[in-house]
Amino acid sequence: MPQNTASANRMLALIFISNLIGAGFASGQELLIFFVAYGYKGFFGVLTAGLLFTVFGAGIVVLAQKNCWRNHLDLANALCPYPLNKIFDLLISAFLLALTGVMLAASGALAKQELGVTEGYGIAFLGLVLWLSLLGGGKGLLKLPKYLIPPLIFVIIWVSLYSICNFTYVPSQPSPYGHWLLATAIYASYNLLGGLSTMIAVSNLGGNGKGGLWGGIITTFLAFFMVWALMAASPALQNCSLPMLCLAAQGGKLLFGFYTAILAIAIFTTALSAVYSLNCRLNRLKMPSALKNALILTAALPVSIGNFPNIVSRTYGFFGIIGLIILTLLSFKLLFIYVKQRN
């Protein structure tokens, strides 16, 4: 456990980053769909999404600590009355399950592209590692980001700067989400669905809203550089299932090797956060935690079947709309608390 507020905030920030930077983000696939497709307007989208990350990342920690929330059911109960609270609880749980499935799919795609094996091997390997990592409860979630996220940040910046310095192409391609502002809202809302649930689950670590605030700021910084790098990349690189990995390959074997490891870390940490949050939500079930985790991973398998880019677009687009509704309600809740404190 962290010993003081500063170290607790660092831990909260790293956990928030580990949840936001998943396979879709680290691979570049999300950023292509929601930002790069809009050309230079995508930069405004990144900054807008970053503002939402920082505000809601900080706000949810404050609310969770103030009201002693322990999982996203407490959030759903606070935002709306019965039976809407049960519906929102179910939707957030479904998203976390889908997020786990997307990370399993990403592991399969990575195994197929880099090892030449079928996706099933990558999916099975990640599932086993996740299950073993959570045998000690939440200790793995609390310890691993401290060691895994700093090198992830360094290598992402390294690859991004390589692309920015060596390529100049700026794309203009269609996006399935219409206006860039709508795409930004959908992107931020589905990411925050999982991120807020995890931050509630770990809010008892201590610290305060600064942990969520800094997590959002750092994620925005990384997203800005990655979008810039992907805009500079050629159309052929952008069409890869894992575009940032293909971009890293242009920089040589060393850079490619580092980014492959970083992508695997991003997949793992996000899946770890999602499974842990679901386990916290199922705390009333009288069964061993290891069995609950096994059931969660098994239930997520159907989502992992298919083409990775299609899974990202289909899954995140749907839950982004749901997230918009929940974030709107949460905005009113935060505004009400702010006005009450001012008076």
Side-chain angles (χ1 to χ4, degrees):
M1 293 288 288
Q3 300 299 312
N4 53 55
T5 300
S7 60
N9 280 333
R10 283 195 296 271
M11 186 66 72
L12 288 174
L14 290 172
I15 291 173
F16 194 32
I17 293 168
S18 72
N19 192 277
L20 295 175
I21 301 181
F25 184 104
S27 70
Q29 192 58 238
E30 281 181 9
L31 303 179
L32 275 176
I33 296 171
F34 292 97
F35 301 115
V36 177
Y38 295 95
Y40 290 118
K41 292 180 181 178
F43 289 123
F44 295 106
V46 170
L47 295 176
T48 303
L51 178 63
L52 294 174
F53 287 158
T54 55
V55 170
F56 286 104
I60 200 65
V61 173
V62 172
L63 283 176
Q65 292 177 341
K66 179 182 178 65
N67 298 286
C68 298
W69 293 347
R70 290 296 174 261
N71 55 58
H72 58 259
L73 176 60
D74 297 323
L75 170 64
N77 289 337
L79 292 182
C80 47
Y82 180 87
L84 285 178
N85 59 335
K86 300 299 181 183
I87 295 174
F88 277 7
D89 171 45
L90 181 62
L91 288 171
I92 296 173
S93 298
F95 173 75
L96 291 170
L97 193 64
L99 181 61
T100 304
V102 171
M103 296 306 110
L104 291 172
S107 179
L110 185 61
K112 181 179 180 180
Q113 179 169 312
E114 303 311 321
L115 301 178
V117 298
T118 60
E119 290 94 335
Y121 286 101
I123 292 171
F125 177 76
L126 177 60
L128 178 61
V129 172
L130 287 170
W131 186 79
L132 291 173
S133 299
L134 288 167
L135 285 178
K139 294 180 181 178
L141 175 68
L142 304 183
K143 291 180 179 180
L144 289 173
K146 180 170 63 174
Y147 303 105
L148 299 180
I149 298 304
L152 181 149
I153 292 171
F154 174 76
V155 176
I156 284 178
I157 294 173
W158 182 7
V159 174
S160 297
L161 288 176
Y162 169 80
S163 175
I164 292 167
C165 294
N166 288 278
F167 303 109
T168 57
Y169 175 81
V170 178
S172 178
Q173 55 188 341
S175 170
Y177 297 104
H179 196 276
W180 66 269
L181 198 55
L182 175 61
T184 298
I186 292 174
Y187 171 81
S189 60
Y190 78 68
N191 271 290
L192 284 170
L193 270 184
L196 298 184
S197 181
T198 300
M199 295 302 279
I200 292 171
V202 300
S203 61
N204 60 349
L205 288 176
N208 51 46
K210 289 183 179 179
L213 180 75
W214 277 107
I217 290 173
I218 294 171
T219 303
T220 306
F221 176 79
L222 293 176
F224 190 90
F225 270 93
M226 290 176 68
V227 167
W228 190 357
L230 289 168
M231 284 185 181
S234 67
L237 290 174
Q238 292 177 11
N239 289 330
C240 293
S241 294
L242 306 172
M244 284 296 290
L245 188 60
C246 294
L247 191 57
Q250 302 297 304
K253 292 183 178 179
L254 179 63
L255 189 57
F256 176 75
F258 275 130
Y259 206 86
T260 300
I262 288 308
L263 182 55
I265 289 172
I267 293 169
F268 171 70
T269 55
T270 299
L272 189 71
S273 298
V275 176
Y276 177 74
S277 298
L278 276 172
N279 192 307
C280 289
R281 172 60 189 89
L282 300 174
N283 60 348
R284 295 180 183 177
L285 290 181
K286 302 300 181 181
M287 65 173 64
S289 180
L291 179 57
K292 283 191 287 186
N293 290 332
L295 292 174
I296 291 168
L297 290 167
T298 302
L301 284 176
V303 182
S304 67
I305 299 172
N307 177 266
F308 178 61
N310 290 339
I311 292 173
V312 169
S313 180
R314 182 177 66 247
T315 304
Y316 290 171
F318 171 75
F319 283 105
I321 301 298
I322 303 300
L324 280 175
I325 299 172
I326 294 176
L327 291 186
T328 300
L329 293 173
L330 184 57
S331 298
F332 285 117
K333 183 77 173 179
L334 290 171
L335 182 61
F336 173 77
I337 292 173
Y338 176 76
V339 171
K340 187 176 180 180
Q341 289 177 344
R342 290 292 299 270
N343 295 334

